[in-house]
Amino acid sequence: MKTAFVTDSGTGETIEQLWEDGIYSVPLQVSDDQQNYNDSVDITIDEVYQKMREGKMLRTSLPSLGKIEELFEKLKAEGYERIFAVPICSGLSGTINAMGMIAKQLDLAFEYVDCHVTAVVQGYLIRLAKRMNENGKSMEEIKEACAAVIHSTDTLLLPDDLQHLKRGGRLTPLAAALGGLLKIKPILAINEQTQGKIDVAGKVRTMSKAMDTVIERMKQAGVDHDYVITVAHADDLQQAEVYRKKIEQALGDVHVNVIKLVSVVGVHTGRGCQALQYFKPI
């Protein structure tokens, strides 16, 4: 069965970058009070953070149904009979359901993996699935391999701006006020255990202590040089480099990649957030 592999801009990559590996993608949406933007098409990560510097409150939403339908109709016309999707997780977005609904309408078989997160893991999984399919592996084998990667994955967010979370409706005004007074830094987790929803994993007083707490969690999980480790920053490269050095010094023989935090996460955490994501590749 001819299968197309589809993801979305939650990977942090453009449609063109993904297509270099034969992966199709649809853009999530970023909006302000005046306009909707197709993520990584009409607006870049840098432009998103520039708008946030200007004090604009941004929102995100799943890809437009029209964009999904347009892509799936194109794929069907090209002879594809099945869609295999690894979109942004269902705990953060309705993208999986939207893709499944449109595939059904077009009489396309639909398979997917809920990665319980987004960003680097999402991009790795869709490439893994395509590679395994090209090597003759079954859908069951592909999903089992993806599940093993997901099981090894953890993502920790260290937001710097509690006021941003409050304005976005993700923190009560009282909690934000107390956080500002006491300088509390929440440690937020998103992973398989949280079912792709953002949960509080701890609260400390400083960003440095938050980083140390996450590093201790990595040690307990047995993270070593076999893992892919990424620090993703929301418009604060200097602090990201501090985080990277802390991790590499604490864990020894590991390499930490530093990237910009994907738009659809940074919009909600606010500028200054430091995110850590790790997983064990296959």
Side-chain angles (χ1 to χ4, degrees):
M1 184 177 286
K2 190 176 180 182
T3 304
F5 291 82
V6 179
T7 186
D8 57 48
S9 62
T11 60
E13 300 176 77
T14 65
I15 291 171
E16 292 76 19
Q17 286 171 323
L18 287 157
W19 176 240
E20 288 178 4
D21 291 324
I23 308 292
Y24 297 93
S25 178
V26 287
L28 295 156
Q29 297 182 88
V30 177
S31 60
D32 56 26
D33 291 334
Q34 284 80 38
Q35 190 173 349
N36 278 355
Y37 304 91
N38 290 308
D39 182 34
S40 297
V41 176
D42 305 324
I43 192 167
T44 66
I45 292 176
D46 288 337
E47 289 168 339
V48 166
Y49 288 129
Q50 178 58 38
K51 285 182 176 292
M52 292 170 71
R53 282 186 218 115
E54 294 167 359
K56 294 188 177 178
M57 283 301 296
L58 303 178
R59 299 174 297 278
T60 62
S61 56
L62 72 163
S64 73
L65 297 182
K67 287 285 186 186
I68 299 173
E69 187 172 15
E70 180 184 353
L71 174 61
F72 285 13
E73 285 179 342
K74 173 179 176 289
L75 294 174
K76 185 172 183 177
E78 292 176 359
Y80 287 98
E81 304 161 280
R82 176 168 59 194
I83 304 292
F84 188 99
V86 185
I88 187 173
C89 65
S90 61
L92 296 178
S93 172
T95 303
I96 289 173
N97 288 339
M99 286 183 173
M101 176 186 72
I102 291 171
K104 184 176 181 180
Q105 290 173 355
L106 296 174
D107 198 28
L108 288 164
F110 184 70
E111 302 282 353
Y112 71 92
V113 167
D114 191 335
C115 61
H116 297 305
V117 72
T118 186
V120 179
V121 171
Q122 183 184 338
Y124 176 80
L125 289 175
I126 193 66
R127 287 179 171 89
L128 172 65
K130 185 174 187 293
R131 184 172 72 247
M132 291 184 69
N133 180 72
E134 290 169 348
N135 289 336
K137 302 299 183 181
S138 67
M139 285 290 116
E140 182 179 357
E141 289 173 312
I142 291 170
K143 289 183 177 181
E144 285 178 358
C146 288
V149 173
I150 293 165
H151 187 66
S152 74
T153 296
D154 203 0
T155 302
L156 289 308
L157 306 171
L158 308 180
D160 187 55
D161 181 7
L162 290 177
Q163 289 302 317
H164 187 93
L165 287 167
K166 185 189 79 170
R167 288 195 303 270
R170 285 163 179 79
L171 199 67
T172 66
L174 177 60
L178 288 174
L181 178 65
L182 302 175
K183 301 189 184 302
I184 290 172
K185 298 290 183 186
I187 300 170
L188 307 177
I190 175 170
N191 51 43
E192 185 177 23
Q193 288 70 42
T194 71
Q195 292 295 295
K197 297 181 184 297
I198 296 174
D199 199 8
V200 177
K203 298 173 185 177
V204 294
R205 292 292 181 88
T206 67
M207 181 63 81
S208 180
K209 180 61 176 174
M211 291 177 181
D212 291 340
T213 301
V214 170
I215 290 169
E216 186 57 36
R217 179 170 170 135
M218 296 173 74
K219 289 179 178 177
Q220 292 175 3
V223 177
D224 58 20
H225 63 272
D226 290 330
Y227 282 70
V228 174
I229 306 170
T230 304
V231 167
H233 67 93
D235 204 26
D236 192 343
L237 176 59
Q238 184 176 356
Q239 191 78 291
E241 286 295 336
V242 171
Y243 203 2
R244 176 187 66 79
K245 290 174 183 176
K246 270 180 170 280
I247 295 167
E248 291 181 345
Q249 289 171 1
L251 298 186
D253 185 24
V254 300
H255 172 71
V256 179
N257 302 303
V258 175
I259 64 172
K260 295 168 185 173
L261 184 58
V262 297
S263 303
V264 292
V265 178
V267 161
H268 297 294
T269 62
R271 291 175 56 240
C273 179
Q274 298 294 329
L276 175 87
Q277 186 173 80
Y278 62 80
F279 66 94
K280 193 170 187 178
I282 291 177

